[in-house]
Amino acid sequence: MSIANEQAERIATTVITGFLGSGKTTLLNALLSHDGMDKTAVLINEFGDIGLDHLLVREVSEDVVLLNSGCICCSVRGDLISGLRDLFVKRTRGEVPAFDRVIIETTGLADPAPILHTLMTDPLLTSKFRLDSVVTTVDALHGEGQLDTHPESVKQAAVADRILITKSDLADNATRSSLETRLRHLNPAAPIHVVSMGDIDPSKLFNAGLYDPTTKSMDVQKWLHDEAYEQHGDESHEHEHDHKHDHEHSHNHPPHDVNRHDDHIRSFCITFDEPLHWDAFVTWAEIFTQMRGESLLRVKGILNLVGESNPVAIHAVQHVFHPPATLPGWPDDDHRSKIVFITKDLGPQVIRDSLYHLNAAASETAETATTPGHGKNL
């Protein structure tokens, strides 16, 4: 079975995260009212009340309700793995209506990484579900203050595939513009949408993963967004120069805000012109996930491997690397390895140098190199 067919058979899963009061439930209400959302299951993780009262119709089973939109909704106060497993079993048995998409709403104080870990590592879940997108809501009025004081909100924005600036009607243009600029530097590849009352076309939030269900193929460029990081890197360099210049020459420049948690977050893309040895990459991944896993907020990449004619996609969140996937072909004539990193207190130089030296060493003993599925596995 091809990679595209395998992806097509898995249930698309979207994680909606965002700080307290940023409008996650309002967004859910609005999304579920759209046509085409009736085959959606909603899991509200560790949440006291479902919060969709005006959409409730009847209880299907314990902790599962059927919404008037046709969507299934349930609260998961314990293990997310068992919640998803139970819901899938009910679907298989016909105890709940069939669904082809799952939306998971996290609590406002949640670090999204453990949920992403769950979706990427549990054998049953990875065989039945695929992580399609991470959507983060940010309050237009209070967002900057929350980024300053709550590191969870920074992580939520940093790992997002889509960012929504909510409650836009409550903030003036200058406030919204300042917040948007900050979010773009924090996560340059994620499209940012300004919304009010959760009003947005669902198509702008979903299908952000490697697999594009509309074309039944792998959309590498959309998934990776490496060009956004490369452009951002140039802008960041110029911004950093100007920032230092202002500090050195302007007596009126405001002091550095030590509470700016996103000052610790870096976004960058590393490219390698020469093919990489799989053993070298696996060794690098093992070292960094064990020693600096907490600093690898998200990693996505397309690798050109020695001995492989097709590219290999890799994806990681902190300590966990998802099993690699060999893609059917390259998206264009650029066959360089490209790896996008979103990190905390970890810059590109140590990553680039360590992988470069490991690959150079592997080149000297090329006869021992292996490829995915034929040796060391992530």
Side-chain angles (χ1 to χ4, degrees):
M1 181 182 294
S2 71
I3 295 297
N5 288 337
E6 289 179 3
Q7 293 278 350
E9 291 187 356
R10 299 176 188 175
I11 298 171
T13 304
T14 293
V15 176
I16 294 181
T17 187
F19 202 69
L20 293 170
S22 62
K24 296 185 297 297
T25 301
T26 300
L27 172 65
L28 267 176
N29 279 327
L31 287 175
L32 298 182
S33 67
H34 282 264
D35 293 337
M37 294 293 291
D38 54 307
K39 292 185 177 181
T40 300
V42 178
L43 276 74
I44 301 180
N45 193 42
E46 298 178 353
F47 199 76
D49 298 308
I50 289 180
L52 300 170
D53 295 335
H54 71 284
L55 291 177
L56 302 188
V57 176
R58 61 184 175 88
E59 183 175 319
V60 177
S61 60
E62 185 179 359
D63 288 335
V64 178
V65 295
L66 184 65
L67 308 183
N68 64 12
S69 61
C71 304
I72 302 163
C73 186
C74 61
S75 56
V76 181
R77 295 177 177 86
D79 187 0
L80 179 62
I81 293 178
S82 62
L84 278 170
R85 283 176 172 176
D86 291 346
L87 196 58
F88 186 83
V89 169
K90 287 183 172 68
R91 174 184 183 267
T92 302
R93 293 175 177 172
E95 297 174 7
V96 299
F99 55 88
D100 55 20
R101 176 174 296 280
V102 173
I103 297 177
I104 301 171
E105 179 191 348
T106 73
T107 62
L109 292 173
D111 177 348
I115 291 178
L116 302 185
H117 285 174
T118 297
L119 294 171
M120 291 169 59
T121 58
D122 181 77
L124 176 61
L125 298 189
T126 56
S127 67
K128 304 301 182 184
F129 300 88
R130 59 180 173 86
L131 179 61
D132 176 65
S133 59
V134 179
V135 177
T136 298
T137 55
V138 183
D139 188 311
L141 190 59
H142 303 292
E144 285 219 73
Q146 291 166 350
L147 290 171
D148 284 340
T149 56
H150 299 284
E152 300 89 353
S153 66
V154 177
K155 278 190 177 182
Q156 291 164 357
V159 302
D161 296 299
R162 305 286 187 264
I163 297 176
L164 302 185
I165 298 179
T166 62
K167 306 181 183 180
S168 58
D169 54 320
L170 302 180
D172 58 34
N173 290 336
T175 301
R176 288 197 304 269
S177 178
S178 176
L179 175 60
E180 184 170 344
T181 297
R182 185 167 175 181
L183 291 171
R184 288 196 186 283
H185 279 281
L186 182 61
N187 189 341
I192 297 176
H193 302 282
V194 179
V195 300
S196 178
M197 299 303 296
D199 184 18
I200 187 170
D201 187 331
S203 66
K204 294 182 178 180
L205 304 184
F206 304 141
N207 304 335
L210 181 62
Y211 170 75
D212 185 350
T214 62
T215 61
K216 307 295 184 182
S217 64
M218 298 297 178
D219 194 338
V220 175
Q221 293 170 328
K222 181 177 70 175
W223 177 71
L224 193 57
H225 292 298
D226 57 286
E227 72 284 352
Y229 289 92
E230 291 169 353
Q231 293 169 5
H232 173 74
D234 294 337
E235 293 170 0
S236 295
H237 177 76
E238 294 171 4
H239 174 75
E240 182 179 340
H241 173 79
D242 294 340
H243 182 70
K244 291 179 179 178
H245 179 84
D246 287 341
H247 269 289
E248 292 170 0
H249 298 286
S250 174
H251 298 290
N252 297 321
H253 196 285
H256 176 69
D257 185 352
V258 295
N259 292 320
R260 283 279 294 263
H261 296 290
D262 46 326
D263 285 347
H264 297 270
I265 306 295
R266 301 285 298 275
S267 303
F268 48 88
C269 178
I270 293 177
T271 61
F272 289 89
D273 295 332
E274 298 297 324
L276 296 174
H277 290 270
W278 180 244
D279 262 358
F281 181 81
V282 171
T283 299
W284 174 89
E286 289 175 345
I287 292 172
F288 268 79
T289 52
Q290 291 175 15
M291 303 295 293
R292 299 297 301 273
E294 73 286 349
S295 298
L296 298 174
L297 299 184
R298 201 165 185 188
V299 180
K300 295 195 291 185
I302 304 297
L303 306 183
N304 182 353
L305 296 177
V306 173
E308 289 286 312
S309 58
N310 291 340
V312 172
I314 54 97
H315 184 203
V317 176
Q318 292 192 317
H319 300 276
V320 177
F321 265 83
H322 193 276
T326 301
L327 304 184
W330 289 92
D332 52 35
D333 293 334
D334 186 355
H335 291 189
R336 294 177 300 168
S337 296
K338 298 180 179 181
I339 312 174
V340 166
F341 292 87
I342 301 177
T343 65
K344 179 180 179 183
D345 296 323
L346 183 62
Q349 195 65 42
V350 64
I351 292 174
R352 183 185 297 107
D353 289 351
S354 58
L355 184 51
Y356 174 83
H357 289 303
L358 283 169
N359 196 61
S363 295
E364 297 178 0
T365 55
E367 69 276 7
T368 63
T370 60
T371 56
H374 298 85
K376 299 173 75 174
N377 291 310
L378 285 173

